[in-house]
């Protein structure tokens, strides 16, 4: 268990202000999980914006598969299933949802 | 309770149209409860109406106590003082007589 | 006795745009009745919710700034804004209805880190 | 671990309520418990028993009820959010002198105090919103 925060974000990266606020809120060792439309952020070059931080970025498998983008997910992203999402919520001390 | 007053109230005894409130109605509401309003009660009702006017909100217990304290000093600004004064929850009973909405956040 | 948890409510919306600010404020009032220590953070556009001289009656709406003023009566005095967000709208702390603490943007992460529960509406 | 959820999302405008449901199912499967699921804001409109779900679609509201049947979930709909949007139980319908009540059976209307209580008594409070 860590004392850090899991940030849950569910909007596509075109919501730039939301992402900026989320980025400003990232503490060392925090995690970010992309769910719903945010899984598009896990594709291609988008995860770069999180690379300045010492954080782990996850994306939710069910939402990825539902959108058919499983081949496009960046290597920097850890893909987690629904059960692992629950485990992450236990592992991190609290969550902050960005929507 | 007279049928006329009853028509103005909701199930829990709060006034439906807040603009209809006047002192006469306030006394009638208390009388229907067999509750006698003294000057001490009127101070609370005044305070709660002023609170609503300023904040657009019927106060819960703590802010009501604080408002009483600001206006009448520590003697009357205590929850035990208010609880002795009313037989129901003070913020609720005072809000009913004051013709204000039911305080929010009640369980 | 359950240990006290520190709650942070994050506001993100400008006035009149949705009911989120009202809903979040109602959470603050309810939690204070349960003695949960509450802090409020007005992020970005939400600083505009604190701007003085709003005339909500022109839009036939209830005045949320009045209810924000009640926070003090509920013993909620921990309100925060980010310097940079005020500057974006050329606001100073004097333009706000509440006496807010200001935070540097770089301090935001460690600020949030200290809370036990965060609700971000 | 004891969870509570705040669901703050319109069912027609977002996927969030479904995400919350899936989260709940998985957490229950892992042996976690839920103190409360608190439906707030526009979410409450989906608890109308007048809502029609097309026969070839899945009604998420019914899914909550099914899950609750097996696991005793406390499904609380914020009373202030609900009455504002025309979702009434018998008591509120009577109180406001309306002709009908439409809160789906299995959900209960209650105040924000229930959310405060959930914050106090849960290890994790997770918001699903849109």
């Amino acid at each position: 268990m860590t004392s850090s925060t899991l940030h849950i974000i569910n909007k596509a990266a075109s919501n730039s202000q939301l992402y900026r606020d989320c980025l400003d809120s990232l503490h060392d060792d925090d995690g970010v999980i992309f769910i719903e439309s945010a899984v598009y952020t896990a594709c291609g070059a988008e995860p770069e914006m999180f690379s300045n931080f010492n954080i782990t970025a996850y994306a939710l498998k069910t939402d990825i598969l539902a959108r058919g983008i499983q081949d496009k997910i960046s290597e920097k992203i850890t893909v987690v299933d629904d059960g692992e999402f629950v485990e992450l919520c236990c592992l991190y001390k609290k969550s902050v949802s960005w929507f | 309770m007279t049928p006329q007053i009853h028509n103005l109230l909701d199930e829990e005894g709060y006034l439906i149209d807040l603009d209809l409130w006047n002192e006469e109605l306030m006394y009638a509401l208390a009388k229907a409860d067999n509750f006698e309003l003294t000057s001490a009660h009127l101070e609370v009702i005044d305070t709660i109406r002023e609170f609503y006017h300023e904040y657009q909100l019927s106060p819960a217990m703590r802010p009501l106590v604080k408002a009483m304290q600001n206006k009448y000093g520590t003697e009357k600004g205590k929850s035990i003082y208010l609880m002795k004064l009313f037989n129901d929850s003070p913020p609720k009973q005072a809000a009913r007589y004051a013709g204000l909405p039911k305080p929010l956040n009640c369980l | 006795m359950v240990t006290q948890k520190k709650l942070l409510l994050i506001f993100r919306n400008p006035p009149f745009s949705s009911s989120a600010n009202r809903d979040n404020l109602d959470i603050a009032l309810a939690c204070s009745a349960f003695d949960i220590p509450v802090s409020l953070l007005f992020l970005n556009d939400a600083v505009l919710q604190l701007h003085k001289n709003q005339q909500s009656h022109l839009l036939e709406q209830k005045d949320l700034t009045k209810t924000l003023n009640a926070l003090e009566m509920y013993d909620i005095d921990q309100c925060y804004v980010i310097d940079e967000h005020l500057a974006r709208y050329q606001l100073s702390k004097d333009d706000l209805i509440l006496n807010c603490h200001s935070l540097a943007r770089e301090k935001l992460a460690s600020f949030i880190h200290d809370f036990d529960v965060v609700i971000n509406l | 671990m004891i969870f509570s959820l705040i669901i703050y999302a319109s069912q027609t405008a977002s996927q969030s309520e479904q995400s919350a449901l899936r989260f709940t199912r998985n957490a229950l499967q892992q042996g976690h418990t839920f103190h409360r699921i608190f439906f707030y804001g526009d979410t409450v409109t989906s608890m109308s028993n007048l809502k029609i779900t097309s026969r070839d679609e899945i009604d998420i509201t019914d899914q909550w009820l099914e899950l609750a049947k097996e696991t005793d979930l406390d499904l609380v709909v914020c009373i202030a959010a609900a009455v504002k949007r025309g979702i009434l139980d018998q008591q509120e319908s009577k109180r406001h002198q309306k002709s009908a009540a439409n809160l789906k059976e299995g959900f209960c209307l209650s105040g924000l105090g229930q959310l405060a209580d959930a914050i106090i008594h849960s290890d994790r409070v997770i918001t699903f919103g849109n």
Side-chain angles (χ1 to χ4, degrees):
Chain A
M1 175 128 47
T2 88
S3 66
S4 343
T5 305
L6 180 66
H7 298 261
I8 304 169
I9 187 160
N10 75 346
K11 292 278 190 288
S14 52
N15 282 272
S16 48
Q17 189 60 58
L18 188 74
Y19 277 76
R20 234 170 290 150
D21 289 340
C22 178
L23 287 169
D24 283 346
S25 305
L26 295 178
H27 195 264
D28 269 352
D29 300 326
D30 278 358
V32 177
I33 181 163
F34 303 113
I35 69 169
E36 303 173 15
S37 300
V39 294
Y40 293 119
T41 312
C43 300
E46 302 271 25
E48 291 299 333
M49 63 176 144
F50 291 88
S51 59
N52 288 340
F53 299 86
N54 182 24
I55 55 138
T56 317
Y58 309 90
L60 194 56
K61 193 176 180 180
T62 308
D63 286 326
I64 293 171
L65 294 175
R67 287 161 179 78
I69 54 170
Q70 55 272 26
D71 298 337
K72 308 226 164 12
I73 300 300
S74 151
E75 287 169 359
K76 292 175 177 151
I77 299 288
T78 309
V79 175
V80 295
D81 64 24
D82 290 340
E84 288 166 326
F85 178 25
V86 174
E87 285 168 29
L88 288 176
C89 288
C90 298
L91 227 53
Y92 289 87
K93 189 183 130 210
K94 66 171 183 284
S95 66
V96 180
S97 298
W98 297 94
F99 53 85
Chain B
M1 198 181 288
T2 62
Q4 292 100 309
I5 293 189
H6 189 80
N7 289 338
L8 305 177
L9 305 177
D10 68 17
E11 275 284 297
E12 290 173 288
Y14 292 88
L15 204 56
I16 294 166
D17 181 356
L18 305 185
D19 293 333
L20 290 181
W21 186 88
N22 56 35
E23 289 209 357
E24 198 184 339
L25 188 61
M26 171 183 76
Y27 282 109
L29 288 170
K31 198 174 167 208
D33 288 352
N34 277 324
F35 190 80
E36 197 194 336
L37 290 178
T38 65
S39 58
H41 298 108
L42 296 187
E43 286 177 354
V44 182
I45 291 169
D46 263 355
T47 306
I48 214 168
R49 283 188 64 85
E50 279 167 19
F51 190 101
Y52 185 83
H53 185 72
E54 191 168 351
Y55 304 120
Q56 303 214 333
L57 185 71
S58 293
M61 190 64 171
R62 193 210 314 239
L64 176 60
V65 166
K66 207 161 178 169
M68 284 294 290
Q69 198 178 68
N70 291 347
K71 209 168 157 200
Y72 298 105
T74 47
E75 194 63 27
K76 292 178 176 178
K78 288 198 177 105
S79 54
I80 187 147
Y81 170 80
L82 294 174
M83 268 141 69
K84 279 182 184 163
L85 217 47
F86 291 93
N87 46 22
D88 189 6
S89 130
K92 283 193 202 170
Q93 199 178 358
R96 280 203 298 114
Y97 299 152
L100 299 178
K102 182 180 170 179
L104 195 80
N105 314 326
C106 301
L107 269 181
Chain C
M1 184 65 202
V2 187
T3 40
Q4 272 201 333
K5 289 176 193 161
K6 286 172 66 189
L7 171 66
L8 175 65
L9 297 170
I10 304 180
F11 293 69
R12 285 185 283 128
N13 293 283
F16 314 119
S17 63
S18 80
S19 65
N21 288 350
R22 162 101 244 169
D23 294 340
N24 220 357
L25 187 56
D26 285 344
I27 295 177
L29 301 180
C31 286
S32 107
F34 282 70
D35 293 323
I36 299 172
V38 184
S39 299
L40 311 183
L41 170 64
F42 293 85
L43 217 54
N44 274 312
D45 293 351
V47 297
L48 297 164
Q49 181 68 69
L50 300 175
H51 193 242
K52 280 178 181 167
N53 304 325
Q54 291 179 46
Q55 298 192 65
S56 61
H57 65 272
L58 295 174
L59 305 177
E60 299 179 46
Q61 290 200 31
K62 218 171 146 173
D63 191 348
L64 197 62
T65 56
K66 282 194 169 184
T67 310
L68 283 161
N69 277 319
L71 284 171
E72 184 198 352
M73 298 297 282
Y74 283 73
D75 291 328
I76 301 171
D77 52 8
Q78 300 298 312
C79 297
Y80 296 84
V81 291
I82 307 291
D83 293 329
E84 207 171 290
H85 298 168
L86 283 179
R88 180 180 308 155
Y89 294 105
Q90 301 187 306
L91 294 172
S92 76
K93 277 163 72 178
D94 292 337
D95 294 313
L96 307 182
I97 54 158
L98 296 179
N99 192 7
C100 291
H101 305 275
S102 56
L103 281 175
R105 194 166 67 99
E106 302 75 47
K107 291 276 166 27
L108 180 60
S110 53
F111 174 76
I112 292 176
H113 184 76
D114 282 342
F115 289 88
D116 301 299
V117 179
V118 180
I119 298 173
N120 183 11
L121 290 192
Chain D
M1 190 132 308
I2 304 169
F3 284 102
S4 280
L5 303 187
I6 302 168
I7 307 179
Y8 189 78
S10 146
Q11 209 173 73
T12 48
S14 95
Q15 189 204 325
S16 299
E17 199 182 326
Q18 207 274 334
S19 298
L21 177 69
R22 240 169 50 230
F23 183 92
T24 308
R25 276 192 195 128
N26 277 276
L28 288 167
Q29 262 166 26
Q30 289 178 22
H32 300 295
T33 56
F34 283 78
H35 184 71
R36 183 160 297 131
I37 315 283
F38 192 83
F39 298 92
Y40 197 31
D42 284 342
T43 323
V44 307
T45 54
S46 40
M47 280 72 201
S48 163
N49 64 15
L50 299 175
K51 184 185 69 181
I52 312 282
T53 304
S54 152
R55 289 202 187 140
D56 53 3
E57 284 184 72
I58 295 167
D59 186 338
I60 296 173
T61 315
D62 286 341
Q63 302 282 310
W64 282 115
L65 292 173
E66 238 164 79
L67 199 56
K69 235 186 288 169
E70 303 152 18
T71 54
D72 246 359
L73 284 179
D74 188 20
L75 304 174
V76 173
V77 176
C78 175
I79 189 164
V83 299
K84 207 187 293 183
R85 292 170 176 84
I87 307 294
L88 308 173
D89 62 4
Q90 288 294 348
Q91 199 187 340
E92 288 307 299
S93 171
K94 221 175 139 199
R95 189 158 95 86
H96 298 280
Q97 301 171 322
K98 297 292 181 187
S99 56
N102 63 341
L103 177 70
K104 199 153 192 157
E105 199 177 325
F107 292 91
C108 113
L109 291 188
S110 196
L112 276 167
Q114 298 281 349
L115 175 55
D117 169 80
I119 290 170
I120 293 169
H121 293 105
S122 310
D123 301 312
R124 297 288 184 275
V125 179
I126 311 214
T127 312
F128 287 88
N130 76 316

